[in-house]
Amino acid sequence: MDITKSYNEWLANAVDDADLISELKSIKDDENEIHERFYTSLKFGTAGLRGIIGAGTNRMNIYVVRQATQGLANYVLSKYGKGSVAISHDSRIKADLFMIEAARVLAANGIKVYITKELEPTPVLSYLVRYFKCQAGIMITASHNPAAYNGYKAYGEDGCQMTDVAASAVYDEICKLDIFKDVKIADFDEAVKSGIIEYVDDSVYDSYLEKVMEQQVNPGICKGADLKVVYTPLNGTGNKLVRKVLDKIGVADVEIVKEQELPDGNFTTCPYPNPEIKEALQKGLELCEKVQPDLLLATDPDADRVGIAVKDYDGSYRLISGNENGVMLTNYILSCKKSNSTLPEKPVVVKTIVTTKLIDKLCQKYGCELKNVLTGFKYIGEVILNLEKKHEENRYLFGFEESYGYLSGTYVRDKDAVVASMLVCEMAAYYKKQGKSLAQVIDGLYEEFGYYLNQTYSFEFDGAAGMKKMEEIMTTVRNNTPSDVAGYKVVKVSDYFLKKEHDIVSGTTADIDLPTSNVIALHLEGDNAVIIRPSGTEPKIKLYITSVGKDKDEAHSICDALVKSSKEILGIK
């Protein structure tokens, strides 16, 4: 790639966005800055595009968005002959502009576009794809990345994020295109006037909320519970719909974190708006100390994930992990549906392979089938799709992943913080009426099943040498499986790359019926586990540790030993 040539082409052609021209002129004598923007192109994958906002092929801007959308249009037209696409956006910088530019490209290609009037949550986009029977969907979001980022998530006709096959086909189409010459563009106002671009009517969002409300386990339970909630949308899309649904179920006492209430792509109150980190919840926790609610809710900018904190025994607020919230919600749904005789025959719960094994215990207790899938909520959506094909979608009860994503119901095919927020409040009200806090609920589950501690650790390997070292580590573990980790015997090995599971105790081997993924899980005695997963996009290896003790201290002690031993096995200092 001739980086200087690319830079000059952009300087001559990127005239539709004054910000880009200004940026390009400001770096004309800075080779490093030019190189950063042009040495590569953002690659379109199953998560679409994601990158820093700015000028160049390695940045998020209207030209990269247009090129990606032309590739998507070519894919839709070649596969379906014609089609429609739903588009929305969150609160990120230039997200509304990117949505409009994507709509212009689709309209110019004769593809019907359903566009939202304002920012909406990611699960709403998934709903729109299914509601309008679209062939694809686009959500302009970078989820919980820092403010400098934006992104472009692509969805298939089932409302799930695109599969590997579809994303690869779109990427092939993108690669054929000159970013300036080969993209069709329609006039936006004319396209709206002609009807090829159509704004989504408010009644559609009402129908989405009706579907959310159908997921109540104990309708009316919140009324009279005097549940007090602090809520922060983290300057994102959850503000309207989360508050609406809480009002509908009878949660009247909701205090909003004012600094994080309104959309703001600068996310000035935290380093990045991720409900997994305490810094993002800090403003909410400060308000909790003042108003003393039962519960803190925090939805991320595109409102597909929710984090919570609950009032602890001493009056302080305890952060609840994604695993813990998922365990409580699963237990709440299963136990209540069993007691009120609404549990379907052969119920199904779905979790990712790196999500807590405590769910296994709950599913055994309630006679529920548990399906394990690869990391990525599209795989949970795939389970729903397969049940739907057999007219058994009513068997699906709940799906979740450790990274704070949850879904009850089959009306969307992505994680949904709106329904999760509703169910968390309903669950809190249910137990409050019994005189229990959610802190007592999770501790009670630990007392019943053992303290399951789930911790994730990342180790970086720099540059090309680092990527090679990661390959060597995975090959070594794959070919020389340890007999124990920290003295805990390896009883089973699941290799998701070879798609084989070897039970060391019985000496049997079974096939793994999941897509290929470079992940190795070492299942240890005592239900402990070590899962090793290199990142496909960054020079990092992640360790997912499960340690099980009779109490918190013992679980942490076992975890420390497993981490130390795992690092020795992997040759990490």
Side-chain angles (χ1 to χ4, degrees):
M1 178 186 287
D2 187 333
I3 291 173
T4 302
K5 182 183 176 185
S6 293
Y7 169 77
N8 287 327
E9 282 179 352
W10 275 67
L11 201 56
N13 292 290
V15 294
D16 291 348
D17 189 330
D19 290 347
L20 300 187
I21 294 296
S22 176
E23 181 182 340
L24 289 167
K25 287 180 177 177
S26 73
I27 61 168
K28 66 183 175 71
D29 297 319
D30 193 328
E31 288 185 12
N32 287 335
E33 287 296 332
I34 292 172
H35 184 269
E36 269 299 304
R37 286 160 177 77
F38 291 98
Y39 82 94
T40 189
S41 297
L42 293 180
K43 185 171 181 182
F44 188 98
T46 57
L49 300 167
R50 192 172 296 184
I52 295 170
I53 302 162
T57 55
N58 191 35
R59 294 288 188 268
M60 280 295 297
N61 52 67
I62 61 171
Y63 299 99
V64 168
V65 167
R66 287 174 179 177
Q67 183 188 38
T69 309
Q70 184 65 58
L72 178 65
N74 291 351
Y75 164 78
V76 167
L77 293 173
S78 65
K79 183 171 182 180
Y80 301 101
K82 58 181 181 178
S84 61
V85 177
I87 318 179
S88 190
H89 68 93
D90 70 4
S91 59
R92 288 192 172 266
I93 295 165
K94 298 206 173 190
D96 53 348
L97 172 63
F98 294 165
M99 177 183 74
I100 287 169
E101 293 300 315
R104 292 176 66 197
V105 172
L106 293 167
N109 284 273
I111 294 172
K112 172 80 176 183
V113 182
Y114 296 98
I115 194 171
T116 59
K117 296 172 187 172
E118 60 181 2
L119 72 174
E120 296 290 349
T122 286
V124 169
L125 185 277
S126 176
Y127 181 76
L128 295 178
V129 171
R130 296 176 59 76
Y131 181 91
F132 289 113
K133 297 181 171 57
C134 295
Q135 282 63 55
I138 300 167
M139 181 69 190
I140 305 298
T141 176
S143 189
H144 54 272
N145 277 68
Y149 285 75
N150 210 331
Y152 178 115
K153 281 185 183 176
Y155 287 75
E157 61 182 329
D158 57 356
C160 285
Q161 280 193 53
M162 276 195 169
T163 63
D164 294 333
V165 173
S168 179
V170 173
Y171 184 60
D172 287 344
E173 293 291 342
I174 293 169
C175 290
K176 297 174 188 175
L177 303 170
D178 181 281
I179 199 165
F180 295 113
K181 296 174 184 174
D182 296 336
V183 178
K184 298 177 183 177
I185 302 284
D187 179 272
F188 183 79
D189 292 335
E190 287 298 320
V192 171
K193 189 184 292 184
S194 73
I196 196 165
I197 295 177
E198 180 181 331
Y199 281 105
V200 177
D201 189 78
D202 289 347
S203 62
V204 180
Y205 307 122
D206 293 337
S207 73
Y208 161 80
L209 279 178
E210 285 171 14
K211 294 294 184 184
V212 171
M213 293 287 289
E214 287 174 11
Q215 309 315 313
Q216 292 175 90
V217 179
N218 290 298
I221 194 72
C222 293
K223 289 168 183 167
D226 295 323
L227 190 72
K228 187 167 189 172
V229 175
V230 164
Y231 170 57
T232 171
L234 293 177
N235 301 117
T237 60
N239 190 34
K240 286 188 177 182
L241 289 178
V242 170
R243 291 169 75 171
K244 270 188 183 179
V245 82
L246 296 190
D247 183 62
K248 280 177 178 286
I249 65 171
V251 182
D253 195 349
V254 180
E255 291 266 359
I256 307 300
V257 179
K258 289 300 178 186
E259 301 94 328
Q260 298 173 333
E261 179 179 14
L262 300 178
D264 181 1
N266 293 299
F267 307 117
T268 55
T269 60
C270 54
Y272 52 101
N274 184 352
E276 293 182 64
I277 64 167
K278 187 176 182 180
E279 293 90 335
L281 273 59
Q282 190 57 45
K283 291 292 182 184
L285 291 168
E286 289 169 9
L287 184 56
C288 285
E289 293 299 331
K290 290 179 186 174
V291 302
Q292 293 293 300
D294 300 288
L295 176 70
L296 165 67
L297 286 175
T299 55
D300 67 342
D302 63 327
D304 62 353
R305 301 186 309 138
V306 63
I308 71 170
V310 302
K311 198 167 193 177
D312 216 338
Y313 306 105
D314 62 357
S316 65
Y317 285 83
R318 186 203 295 194
L319 295 178
I320 298 294
S321 73
N323 276 312
E324 288 176 323
N325 195 18
V327 165
M328 286 194 290
L329 285 168
T330 303
N331 180 69
Y332 171 66
I333 292 167
L334 287 173
S335 62
C336 287
K337 282 186 176 287
K338 185 163 187 178
S339 67
N340 62 24
S341 300
T342 57
L343 196 63
E345 282 190 36
K346 301 179 182 176
V348 173
V349 167
V350 192
K351 75 172 186 70
T352 62
I353 58 174
V354 297
T355 297
T356 180
K357 295 167 77 177
L358 181 47
I359 295 297
D360 299 57
K361 301 291 186 184
L362 287 172
C363 288
Q364 288 166 18
K365 178 178 177 178
Y366 292 103
C368 179
E369 182 181 353
L370 176 65
K371 289 185 179 290
N372 282 285
V373 297
L374 297 179
T375 305
F377 220 87
K378 63 179 175 285
Y379 296 114
I380 295 176
E382 194 173 57
V383 171
I384 300 173
L385 179 64
N386 290 334
L387 289 170
E388 194 174 55
K389 287 176 180 175
K390 297 185 285 184
H391 306 290
E392 296 178 358
E393 61 268 27
N394 66 311
R395 292 176 56 202
Y396 171 83
L397 284 185
F398 193 60
F400 83 101
E401 55 190 6
E402 40 75 43
S403 54
Y404 294 61
Y406 314 96
L407 176 64
S408 174
T410 62
Y411 59 100
V412 298
R413 299 299 156 85
D414 209 342
K415 48 195 178 285
D416 187 351
V418 181
V419 78
S421 296
M422 180 191 77
L423 288 172
V424 167
C425 289
E426 186 184 309
M427 173 174 67
Y430 173 82
Y431 289 115
K432 186 172 183 179
K433 284 187 172 180
Q434 297 175 23
K436 283 185 183 178
S437 69
L438 290 183
Q440 290 172 304
V441 172
I442 189 62
D443 288 346
L445 290 168
Y446 285 144
E447 286 172 20
E448 183 177 356
F449 297 110
Y451 195 101
Y452 278 69
L453 178 66
N454 299 90
Q455 301 279 65
T456 305
Y457 301 85
S458 288
F459 303 97
E460 293 195 16
F461 295 79
D462 292 331
M467 295 296 279
K468 186 170 185 292
K469 176 65 176 173
M470 284 162 52
E471 286 179 25
E472 291 170 357
I473 287 171
M474 295 303 289
T475 300
T476 299
V477 175
R478 190 164 277 124
N479 296 336
N480 303 281
T481 304
S483 58
D484 72 276
V485 182
Y488 294 91
K489 288 180 184 176
V490 177
V491 295
K492 187 165 65 176
V493 180
S494 302
D495 191 323
Y496 296 91
F497 185 76
L498 301 178
K499 299 175 78 165
K500 296 289 181 183
E501 188 164 81
H502 180 52
D503 190 316
I504 292 168
V505 177
S506 66
T508 57
T509 299
D511 293 332
I512 295 175
D513 186 21
L514 291 173
T516 301
S517 185
N518 193 13
V519 181
I520 298 172
L522 306 176
H523 306 275
L524 313 176
E525 59 185 339
D527 223 13
N528 300 293
V530 175
I531 298 177
I532 309 155
R533 183 171 83 91
S535 169
T537 56
E538 298 176 288
K540 288 180 182 177
I541 278 184
K542 281 189 174 182
L543 281 182
Y544 298 86
I545 305 290
T546 298
S547 55
V548 187
K550 63 180 181 294
D551 56 29
K552 184 177 181 179
D553 289 342
E554 185 177 50
H556 274 281
S557 177
I558 293 169
C559 180
D560 290 343
L562 292 177
V563 173
K564 182 181 178 184
S565 181
S566 296
K567 287 171 69 176
E568 289 170 358
I569 291 166
L570 301 181
I572 297 171
K573 294 181 181 178

